[in-house]
Structures are given as structure tokens and as C-alpha cells.
């Protein structure tokens, strides 16, 4: 895994954004406290279909997993997400993207997600659990109007064709890559 | 205009006149003469230059003659120096006099009083570093000489000094030189620094050579005496030709301070060793305490001691019990050094923090406190002592009453109250708790609950796993702890001990009852007090017990059922839940007419009794019969194998445990009488302690953590899982507990273990 490289990258980018070192450390402290609490409540919740955990010792980057919602074409599939928390969290939304490639109308080939609550509708009351659940429900209920992947959007109308294509792709790109 | 110009001209002319005069004639030849002298010392690289006699070369080994030569040489040097000084300095003197005379003549018009001091400065400027070296050399050597001769003479009066000069040529020459310098008013210019520098150097050397390695004696008085006798005597000697001796007192004060500072620094340098040896090094600490009052080295001390503690103690290579011992002696030593305890708090902060992170700290402290079988029972002593001194106000621990007690004691002695030292941390605790070493240890964790819990599980372990505990000792310990922590906190422990003694009574009672009912035998077992002993534990108070599911042989189960029935009859609406994994069974095994006795756990009995019915078993079948896991069973079989009662017959490959076959040994001569093996087995058993078992709700939480971790990270080794659980869930989690968790989940087929890595089983 390339965990260490990514960690370095996030650290440097967060350093650029903030001018004063002091505020960074102070912010970091309160943010890590909040993230610690979120982790604990996520663990206490015992939610089955989704999970997330910090990537190594870096509390500001988590790896999430979601299982495809039951009753949708994604049932039985599992996807990995990367959650990057900025120093301004939870005022600023975390950056969430798919780590495994995901064939979905609202997900582009780099794993970027078009989801309103991660952008303009973000609010500090959301937390990791609500993000994971939102992304999970997005899988089964895409927003065709604002598609990032037009091929997927076109194909969505025909569910059986979509499913076949999806499973082919998943087998090729996700399953084979696993560990 | 003109007159003013003229006035200005005169001093310049005069100045040049005098300056040239001095430079050319006197100074140049003076410095060159001095250079010759220095050279003659340096080039020969030995002190015997000027007294080159042939006999010296063969007599090199003889220290006596060397010493003699050495003195001779010094006398020689000082004589030459004296001659040089006499020669030039008389001229200088004349020169100065001329200036002064001139000065007094035209005192009205131009003030030339500065001119003399100007000339003096010129002189000092002309002298180079080597010339000063010569002076320093001379001073040092004469001081050494003085020190050796001063043993046997009293130097208080002028007459004494005169005597000294008469007897020792070196001293005479030396004082002559000094006299000349004084005469010219050049002494302070040339030698002021040298006097102080040499003396300070000598003090430092003396302190280091005498006290550096010796922590057991007090030196401060001997140093004071030495300073008074030798150093002050020496300075008095130097200034003996001066009538003005008033600054001698200043010298004394300054040097005394210098001595205190140096001695303190010398002690601080070795403070770590001093602290570790504390009760033996009490005198050294006492000295340091005196020095600290007179110097400002507190913060230096704290810094340096913290550093050496961090470097030498706080790393993984040191045993926790050693760190605790060091902590205790640090507390004692520093409390002695600074009774307010502020210094101790400042120094011990990192120690405390470090101990907090060690897994076995509480265990070490509690077992140190309560176990006096070990050699290091300092703590135990401390503990008892501590309690007896607190007898008067036992419930000091209770915070409310503690405050009152502090207030009370403060009211009593308000007259001698002193503020805390300036470097006291803002959150420092009131004095009463600092004085108490046990409280200090307990406070490492900030709460006594941790302690009580740890003690409870240790007590539980002791009572249930080693049946050889000493009841009286346990009760005494508990009573001591109760005084310390309050009765409420140790209620559970008391109940545990009470269970033990109560059990005996109930046991006897039930046996009596059985006898009355005419039951004298229960499945071959004669009912009497030595054959049947039960411990009846109140579940509520005991730590969570290890659960191991075993089906006991029917013989034992019958006994249990019978006993339980009697108990239920005896105790009304209470019942018993048998903990089959605990306890001891005494069995007799008859092999070929010989009878062997064993004292083993019930599970071992269950295993061996199966072989009574059928002599050869495949492990997997036996496991099914006994409803246990093959691997656990294998361990129990190995015990009997070590005893020589069982042997392996099939040659199944090593990893194929379920298919191994064991059979009973019938030849009694092959039995292993080696009891050591039994102990090995028992030790293995002990590794899974009661305290390593997690509670149900904890298991669920940590399992959620572990699942998420593995989902995100793939597969991980045990250490990683432990590290992350510690980081994100609970810093106090031990690796044994995590091992327990993953073992449990592996058994339930939720985890897969392969090549040192765990992964989720999907």
C-alpha cells in the first residue's frame, strides 16, 4: 500500500493552506479530538454496511468501506473510500473519494464523487457515519441530472445491462487488485 | 587664542617625552628579559633547567630528589624574576616619581595626575600573554609550596610571616616580587586577576578530588575549614606587606560563595547516583541542601537531574520495578533536599508520566506493597511505617477530611509558615500528600480506583490459582490497604477474603449434614473434611473468572450435584455455579499394582479418566467426547505425557493435531517422577490470568474497532492491532487482552490467522 506517500502529501497541502503555524497546531488539536470522538461513536454504533478507520497513525486520513445497498445492482460489492479531513473540519467538508474504481453515474474515473452534502450543502452537523451512509445510498439512487460519468448515466436506464457491465468491471478492476 | 594653543601643546610634548622614554628604555628590555626567562623554561620542557647538574639524570626515578630539584628550580626562577623586577622596576619607580614630581609642580596649570595610571596601562599593555602565564605559573607553584608547608605552621601574626620568609627562600623571593609590584601600584593591574584565578582553580581542584566519588560523607565543614586555613591564609600572606587589609573580608565572602557554587555543581553532576543510593548518600544531599540556600542553582539542578533520569532510567531496557524503586528513592532524596516537595514534583514529572505508560506499573506497585516474600520490600516497610505515622488521622485519604486536616495543621503552625518556592508549579498539591510516598505512587494514575482494581485481580489470582496463600498475611495486607484507601473501596476484596473463610464453615456444615443423612460415600469418595473442600465465591465481588467449558467425569458431577443440593437446602434461595476450570483434584492412578498420587486440575482428571475406559484415543475423538477444542486438549494430554502416563503412538505430522493418537502406558517403571515438568505446565496455565479476560461489552467495542481496522487495512499483525486499539480505543489495553480478543474471534471463525497476520474471514 502507498499509505506513507499519501500521508506526506496531505501534510504538505495542509501546511500551505494555513499561514500561522500556531493556529494549525491549535486547530489540529481540537480537530483530532473531534475525530477521536467520531471514531468512538462510529464504533459504538455498530453500523453493519459501512465502516471506517484511520489510515495508520494519521487521524486526519481515514479509509472507509461501504457495502453496496441490498436490492440494488451494487448488492454484494464492496468499495473503499478515502476520507481526508482538513484542519478546518468540521466547518470545512472533508474530501471524500473512492479508492477502488467505481462505475457509477456520479463518480468519475478518478473516484471523485458528485454529492451535494460533500460540497455546497455540507454542514458541521454531519459526521463520518452520515457521509458513509449518504455515499452508500447514492450508489442505489444516483442523480442522473448531474452526472460525471455519462456512460454510466446512459446505461443506468437499462438496469440489467448496467449490472452486467458493472460486475465485469468490478471483477476486473476491484477484485483482482485486492491484496 | 594663542595662550589656549600653548596650553594645549604642553601636555602633548610632555606625554611624548615620557612615553618614548618608557617604551624605549625600560619596557623593551624588560619584556625581552622576561622572554629569555620564559624560553629557558619552555625549551627544556622540564623544571630543572636552571639547575642542570649531571647527577639529576640518573636520579630521575627518585621522587625525593625530584621534589628537591623542583623546589630548587622554583627558587631559581623566582630569584631571576626578582632580579629582573628589581632592575627595571626601580627605574620605573624613578620614572613614576619624576612624573609625579613634575605633576605637583605645575599642578595649577595642567593636571597630570592621570599620567601615571596612563603609564601603568602602557606597561600592562606591553606585557604579552606568555608573561602573564609566567605569573600564573609562579602563583600556582608557590601556592602548592605554601600548601605543603602550611600544614605545620600558624600564620596569624606578622611575626609568623617573617618567620616563614626566613625559613623558605621561595616564599621570600615571591613576597619580594609582590612588594615591588605593590610599591609601583602595579599589583592590581598585573596580578589582581591572577590571584583570584589561581585560588579559584585550586578550590575547584580540591573539591573535585576529594568529594566527587564519595557520597557518604559530609564535606561542607571540612571545605570551610580548608578555605579558612589555606586559601585565606594564602591571601593574607600575599597582602601581608600591605597595611590595608580591609578587602580581605570581601575576598573571603566571594571565595566562600565560589566554593558553595562549585561544590553544588560537583554534587549536581553526580546527583543521579546520589539519588539512587539515597539513604546512604544522605550526607551528600544534606550538603547540597546547604549549598542550594546560598546559590541559585535550583533550576539547574532540576534540569540536569531530569535529563539524567530521562537518559538513564526511562527507556525500555529498565525493569518497571527498578524504575519504581528509583522513583521512591528520588522522592525520598528530593523531599529531604527540599521539604516543600516542589523540587521533587518538578523533577519527577517525566518519571510519573513514563510510569503511567508502562503496562505493569500498577501490578508492580501492588505486588511490591503486599508481597514481602521478595527481596525488595522497601515499599512494604515504607507502607507500614507510613500508615503508623498516620494513625492519628486515618481517613486523610477522604478528600473532605483531608482538607480539614491540612487546614488544621496549617492553623497550628501558622507562625512558621513559609510560602512555596518560586518554581512551584501552579497546580501543586498541598503538602500533606507530598510527604507520603505511597500516595505519590498511587497518584501516578491520578486515582486509587485503578489500584484497588489491580489489587483485587491480583488477590483473586492468588486465592484461586495458588492454593498456598497465607490467609493471615492477606488479611493483614487488606487491613493495611483499608487504612490507606478507605473501607468502601476495598469492600469487594474484603468480601473475597470473607468468602474464603466462610467457605470453610459452610463446607464443614454441609459435610456434617451429609453425615447426618447417612451419606458417608459419594461415588467412591469418603465424605470427610480433608477429602472435599469447596470454595464458595460471591460472584458479585470477584473479578471476572476464566471460563473454560468442560464436561467433568460423571463421578465428579455426581459429587457436585449432591453438594449443591445440600448447599441449596442450607442457604435457602441461593445456588452454586461450578467453575470447573478451577480447583484441584487429588487422584490415585493404579498402574501395574503400583499407585501414584497426583494433584491436578479437574480438566486433567477428565482427560485421564477417559483413558480408564479405553486405552487408546485419537485426539479428535477424545475432543468430541469431552466437548473441547483439540488444541486445548493436546496441552492437557502433554501434561500426562510428561508424567509418563500417556505416550504417542501414531507418527502423524507435526501440525496434524486432531489425528494424533495416544495410548496409556502400562509399565510403571517408565513413569516420570520429575516434578519440574509439572511446574512448567502450571506456569503455562498461569499466563492466561483472570485479569487478561475482557468483559462482554468491552469485547464488542474492541471487536468493532478491530473489524473496521482490518476492513480498512487488510491484514495486520497482533502488535499493530494492539497499538491501534491503544491509540484509538483505550490506552490501558494490554497485548494479552488483545490476544484474548483475537483468539476468541479466530475460534469463532470470524478471523483468519496466517503467517503472523490476522484478517477478516469473509
Amino acid at each position: 500500500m502507498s499509505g506513507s506517500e499519501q500521508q506526506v502529501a496531505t501534510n504538505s497541502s495542509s501546511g500551505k493552506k494555513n499561514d500561522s503555524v500556531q493556529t494549525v497546531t491549535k486547530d489540529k488539536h481540537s480537530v483530532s479530538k473531534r475525530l477521536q470522538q467520531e471514531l468512538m461513536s462510529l464504533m459504538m454504533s455498530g453500523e453493519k454496511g459501512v465502516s471506517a478507520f484511520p489510515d495508520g497513525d494519521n487521524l486526519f486520513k481515514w479509509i472507509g468501506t461501504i457495502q453496496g445497498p441490498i436490492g440494488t445492482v451494487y448488492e454484494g460489492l464492496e468499495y473503499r473510500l478515502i476520507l481526508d479531513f482538513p484542519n478546518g473540519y468540521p466547518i470545512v467538508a472533508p474530501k471524500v473519494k473512492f479508492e477502488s474504481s467505481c462505475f457509477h453515474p456520479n463518480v468519475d474515473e478518478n473516484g471523485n464523487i458528485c454529492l451535494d452534502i460533500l460540497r455546497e450543502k455540507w454542514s458541521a452537523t454531519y459526521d463520518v457515519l452520515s457521509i458513509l451512509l449518504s455515499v452508500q445510498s447514492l450508489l442505489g439512487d444516483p442523480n442522473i441530472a448531474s452526472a460525471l460519468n455519462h456512460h454510466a448515466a446512459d446505461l443506468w436506464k437499462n438496469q440489467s445491462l448496467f449490472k452486467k457491465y458493472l460486475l465485469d468491471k468490478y471483477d476486473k478492476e476491484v477484485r483482482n487488485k485486492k491484496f | 587664542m594663542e595662550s589656549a594653543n600653548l596650553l594645549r601643546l604642553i601636555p602633548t610634548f610632555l606625554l611624548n617625552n615620557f612615553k618614548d622614554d618608557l617604551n624605549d628604555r625600560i619596557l623593551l628590555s624588560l619584556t625581552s628579559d622576561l622572554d629569555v626567562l620564559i624560553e629557558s623554561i619552555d625549551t627544556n620542557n622540564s623544571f630543572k633547567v636552571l639547575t642542570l647538574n649531571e647527577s639529576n639524570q640518573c636520579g630521575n626515578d627518585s621522587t625525593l630528589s625530584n621534589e628537591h630539584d623542583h623546589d630548587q628550580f622554583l627558587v631559581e626562577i623566582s630569584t631571576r624574576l626578582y632580579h629582573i623586577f628589581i632592575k627595571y622596576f626601580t627605574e620605573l619607580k624613578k620614572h613614576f616619581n619624576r612624573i609625579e614630581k613634575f605633576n605637583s609642580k605645575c599642578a595649577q596649570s595642567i593636571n597630570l595626575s592621570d599620567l601615571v595610571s596612563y603609564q601603568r596601562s602602557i606597561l600592562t599593555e606591553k606585557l604579552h600573554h606568555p608573561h602573564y602565564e609566567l605569573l600564573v605559573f609562579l602563583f600556582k607553584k608557590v601556592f602548592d609550596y605554601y600548601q605543603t608547608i602550611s600544614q605545620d605552621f600558624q600564620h596569624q601574626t606578622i611575626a609568623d610571616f617573617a618567620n616563614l620568609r626566613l625559613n623558605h627562600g621561595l616564599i621570600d623571593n615571591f613576597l619580594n616580587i609582590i612588594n615591588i609590584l605593590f610599591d609601583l601600584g602595579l599589583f592590581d593591574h598585573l596580578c589582581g586577576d591572577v590571584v583570584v584565578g589561581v585560588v579559584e582553580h585550586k578550590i575547584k581542584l580540591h573539591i573535585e578530588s576529594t568529594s566527587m566519588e564519595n557520597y557518604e560523607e559530609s564535606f561542607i565543614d571540612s571545605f570551610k575549614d580548608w578555605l579558612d586555613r589555606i586559601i585565606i591564609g594564602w591571601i593574607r600572606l600575599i597582602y601581608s606587606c600591605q597595611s590595608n587589609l580591609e578587602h580581605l573580608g570581601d575576598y573571603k565572602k566571594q571565595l566562600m560563595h565560589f566554593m558553595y557554587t562549585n561544590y553544588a555543581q560537583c554534587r549536581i553532576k553526580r546527583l543521579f547516583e546520589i539519588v539512587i543510593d539515597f539513604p546512604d548518600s544522605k550526607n551528600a544531599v544534606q550538603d547540597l541542601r546547604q549549598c542550594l540556600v546560598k546559590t541559585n542553582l535550583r533550576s539547574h539542578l532540576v534540569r540536569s537531574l531530569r535529563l539524567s533520569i530521562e537518559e538513564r532510567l526511562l527507556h525500555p531496557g529498565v525493569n518497571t520495578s527498578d524504575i519504581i524503586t528509583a522513583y521512591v528513592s528520588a522522592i525520598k532524596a528530593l523531599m529531604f533536599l527540599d521539604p516543600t516537595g516542589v523540587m521533587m514534583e518538578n523533577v519527577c514529572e517525566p518519571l510519573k508520566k513514563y510510569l503511567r505508560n508502562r503496562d505493569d506499573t500498577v501490578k508492580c506497585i501492588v505486588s511490591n506493597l503486599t508481597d514481602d516474600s521478595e527481596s525488595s520490600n522497601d515499599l512494604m516497610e515504607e507502607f507500614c511505617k507510613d500508615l503508623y505515622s498516620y494513625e492519628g488521622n486515618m481517613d486523610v485519604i477522604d478528600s473532605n477530611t483531608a482538607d480539614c486536616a491540612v487546614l488544621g495543621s496549617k492553623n497550628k503552625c501558622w507562625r512558621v509558615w513559609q510560602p512555596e518556592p518560586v518554581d512551584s508549579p501552579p497546580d501543586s498539591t498541598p503538602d500533606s500528600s507530598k510527604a507520603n510516598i505511597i500516595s505519590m505512587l498511587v497518584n501516578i494514575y491520578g486515582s486509587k480506583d485503578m489500584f484497588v482494581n489491580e489489587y483485587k485481580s491480583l488477590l483473586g489470582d492468588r486465592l484461586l490459582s495458588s492454593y498456598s496463600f497465607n490467609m493471615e498475611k492477606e488479611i493483614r495486607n487488606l487491613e493495611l490497604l483499608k487504612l490507606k484507601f478507605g473501607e468502601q473501596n476495598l469492600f469487594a476484596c474484603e468480601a473475597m477474603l470473607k468468602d474464603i473463610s466462610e467457605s470453610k464453615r459452610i463446607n464443614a456444615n454441609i459435610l456434617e449434614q451429609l453425615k447426618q443423612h447417612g451419606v458417608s460415600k459419594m461415588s467412591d469418595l469418603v465424605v470427610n473434611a480433608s477429602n472435599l473442600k469447596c470454595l464458595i465465591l460471591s460472584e458479585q465481588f470477584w473479578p471476572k473468572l476464566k471460563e473454560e467449558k468442560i464436561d467433568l467425569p460423571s463421578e465428579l458431577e455426581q459429587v457436585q450435584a449432591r453438594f449443591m443440593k445440600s448447599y441449596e437446602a442450607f442457604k435457602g434461595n441461593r445456588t452454586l455455579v461450578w467453575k470447573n476450570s478451577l480447583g484441584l483434584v487429588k487422584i490415585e492412578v493404579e498402574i501395574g499394582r503400583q499407585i501414584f498420587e497426583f494433584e491436578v486440575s479437574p480438566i486433567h482428571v477428565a482427560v485421564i479418566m477417559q483413558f480408564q475406559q479405553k486405552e487408546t484415543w485419537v485426539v479428535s475423538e477424545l475432543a468430541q467426547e469431552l466437548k473441547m477444542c483439540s488444541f486445548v486438549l493436546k496441552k492437557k494430554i502433554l501434561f500426562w505425557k510428561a508424567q509418563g502416563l500417556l505416550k504417542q503412538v501414531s507418527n502423524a505430522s507435526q501440525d496434524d493435531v486432531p489425528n494424533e493418537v495416544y495410548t496409556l502406558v502400562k509399565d510403571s517403571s517408565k513413569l516420570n517422577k520429575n516434578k519440574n515438568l509439572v511446574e512448567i505446565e502450571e506456569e503455562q496455565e498461569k499466563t492466561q490470568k483472570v485479569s487478561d479476560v475482557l468483559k462482554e461489552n468491552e469485547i464488542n467495542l474492541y471487536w468493532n474497532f478491530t473489524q473496521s481496522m482490518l476492513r480498512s487495512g487488510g491484514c495486520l499483525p497482533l502488535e499493530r492491532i494492539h497499538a491501534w486499539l491503544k491509540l484509538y480505543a483505550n490506552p490501558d489495553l494490554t497485548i494479552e487482552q488483545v490476544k484474548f480478543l483475537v483468539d476468541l474471534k479466530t475460534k469463532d471463525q470470524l478471523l483468519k490467522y496466517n503467517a503472523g497476520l490476522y484478517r477478516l474471514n469473509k
Side-chain angles (χ1 to χ4, degrees), chain B residues 268-466:
Chain B
I268 288 170
K269 224 181 267 174
R270 294 299 179 94
L271 194 55
F272 183 76
E273 285 91 339
I274 294 175
V275 162
I276 297 295
D277 296 355
F278 174 62
D280 297 333
S281 60
K282 199 166 179 179
N283 284 320
V285 180
Q286 171 82 42
D287 279 2
L288 187 56
R289 190 169 146 182
Q290 279 188 35
C291 292
L292 279 185
V293 181
K294 297 187 164 74
T295 54
N296 59 344
L297 288 166
R298 276 181 79 99
S299 59
H300 170 69
L301 183 148
V302 170
R303 235 178 303 129
S304 121
L305 186 58
R306 270 175 86 136
L307 199 72
S308 48
I309 284 179
E310 266 164 45
E311 272 171 4
R312 299 176 60 174
L313 208 58
L314 306 185
H315 55 79
V318 188
N319 282 335
T320 307
S321 59
D322 292 340
I323 300 181
I324 290 173
T325 315
Y327 184 39
V328 171
S329 65
I331 294 173
K332 281 189 206 160
L334 293 170
M335 285 309 288
F336 183 66
L337 190 61
D338 172 23
T340 60
V342 171
M343 192 178 280
M344 184 269 295
E345 267 185 23
N346 283 337
V347 171
C348 293
E349 189 54 41
L351 247 170
K352 233 163 112 175
K353 223 181 243 168
Y354 185 83
L355 277 175
R356 219 174 288 161
N357 289 334
R358 282 244 173 159
D359 296 340
D360 50 346
T361 303
V362 180
K363 210 172 285 177
C364 270
I365 296 172
V366 172
S367 61
N368 263 344
L369 278 184
T370 52
D371 188 6
D372 50 10
S373 64
E374 272 176 50
S375 54
S376 63
N377 51 10
D378 272 6
L379 266 182
M380 180 75 190
E381 260 170 49
E382 190 60 42
F383 187 40
C384 298
K385 192 174 82 193
D386 194 79
L387 280 169
Y388 297 136
S389 67
Y390 267 77
E391 209 103 278
N393 41 353
M394 278 172 202
D395 41 6
V396 163
I397 272 304
D398 191 45
S399 63
N400 284 327
T401 47
D403 281 345
C404 294
V406 170
L407 213 67
S409 68
K410 268 191 182 158
N411 279 338
K412 251 180 263 164
C413 50
W414 58 271
R415 276 175 203 280
V416 291
W417 178 84
Q418 293 212 322
E420 299 227 311
V422 278
D423 53 347
S424 73
D427 55 345
S428 84
T429 45
D431 297 8
S432 64
S433 69
K434 280 183 204 159
N436 190 324
I437 287 173
I438 304 302
S439 314
M440 285 293 302
L441 286 175
V442 173
N443 284 341
I444 288 176
Y445 285 90
S447 91
K448 52 192 189 253
D449 292 351
M450 283 277 296
F451 254 83
V452 172
N453 278 339
E454 194 64 33
Y455 174 72
K456 196 168 127 183
S457 67
L458 272 177
L459 182 68
D461 278 345
R462 233 188 347 254
L463 294 180
L464 294 182
S465 55
S466 75

Side-chain angles (χ1 to χ4, degrees), chain B residues 125-347:
Chain B
E125 198 214 354
K126 281 287 163 196
L127 291 172
H128 297 304
H129 189 62
H131 305 134
Y132 283 107
E133 293 273 275
L134 182 66
L135 272 176
V136 172
F137 172 74
L138 188 70
F139 268 84
K140 274 188 187 168
K141 288 301 162 192
V142 178
F143 177 83
D144 288 343
Y145 185 73
Y146 173 80
Q147 199 176 350
T148 55
I149 60 164
S150 68
Q151 306 296 340
D152 42 40
F153 105 109
Q154 290 292 317
H155 39 71
Q156 295 306 318
T157 60
I158 301 292
D160 282 333
F161 287 131
N163 234 341
L164 198 67
R165 286 176 81 153
L166 216 68
N167 291 332
H168 303 277
L170 182 64
I171 302 281
D172 188 40
N173 280 343
F174 178 68
L175 288 178
N176 280 338
I177 293 169
I178 287 174
N179 261 341
I180 292 170
L181 292 175
F182 271 124
D183 222 25
L184 290 171
L186 277 172
F187 184 81
D188 286 338
H189 275 273
L190 283 178
C191 306
D193 295 353
V194 178
V195 173
V196 179
V198 166
V199 163
E200 286 186 349
H201 176 73
K202 291 293 171 190
I203 293 175
K204 214 170 171 173
L205 274 185
H206 180 74
I207 289 175
E208 276 175 16
S209 64
T210 42
S211 69
M212 194 56 131
E213 303 289 339
N214 188 342
Y215 315 134
E216 285 167 24
E217 283 172 53
S218 172
F219 286 101
I220 217 153
D221 290 330
S222 84
F223 284 157
K224 259 189 199 156
D225 181 53
W226 181 82
L227 193 86
D228 236 20
R229 217 159 39 83
I230 309 286
I231 301 288
I232 300 300
W234 161 251
I235 287 172
R236 203 173 280 166
L237 178 73
I238 290 174
Y239 288 95
S240 60
C241 38
Q242 289 293 95
S243 52
N244 184 9
L245 289 176
E246 64 183 18
H247 57 295
L248 216 61
D250 293 345
Y251 257 125
K252 194 173 166 177
K253 271 183 210 154
Q254 189 196 337
L255 290 174
M256 208 57 113
H257 181 258
F258 182 80
M259 184 202 81
Y260 280 126
T261 314
N262 248 289
Y263 184 46
Q265 261 160 354
C266 175
R267 283 294 183 222
I268 288 170
K269 224 181 267 174
R270 294 299 179 94
L271 194 55
F272 183 76
E273 285 91 339
I274 294 175
V275 162
I276 297 295
D277 296 355
F278 174 62
D280 297 333
S281 60
K282 199 166 179 179
N283 284 320
V285 180
Q286 171 82 42
D287 279 2
L288 187 56
R289 190 169 146 182
Q290 279 188 35
C291 292
L292 279 185
V293 181
K294 297 187 164 74
T295 54
N296 59 344
L297 288 166
R298 276 181 79 99
S299 59
H300 170 69
L301 183 148
V302 170
R303 235 178 303 129
S304 121
L305 186 58
R306 270 175 86 136
L307 199 72
S308 48
I309 284 179
E310 266 164 45
E311 272 171 4
R312 299 176 60 174
L313 208 58
L314 306 185
H315 55 79
V318 188
N319 282 335
T320 307
S321 59
D322 292 340
I323 300 181
I324 290 173
T325 315
Y327 184 39
V328 171
S329 65
I331 294 173
K332 281 189 206 160
L334 293 170
M335 285 309 288
F336 183 66
L337 190 61
D338 172 23
T340 60
V342 171
M343 192 178 280
M344 184 269 295
E345 267 185 23
N346 283 337
V347 171

Side-chain angles (χ1 to χ4, degrees), chain B residues 103-122:
Chain B
N103 189 14
S104 61
K105 266 184 204 159
C106 44
Q108 256 94 37
S109 56
I110 313 149
N111 191 349
L112 292 183
S113 63
D114 291 342
L115 205 55
V116 175
S117 50
Y118 172 71
Q119 294 285 3
R120 284 180 184 132
S121 305
I122 292 286

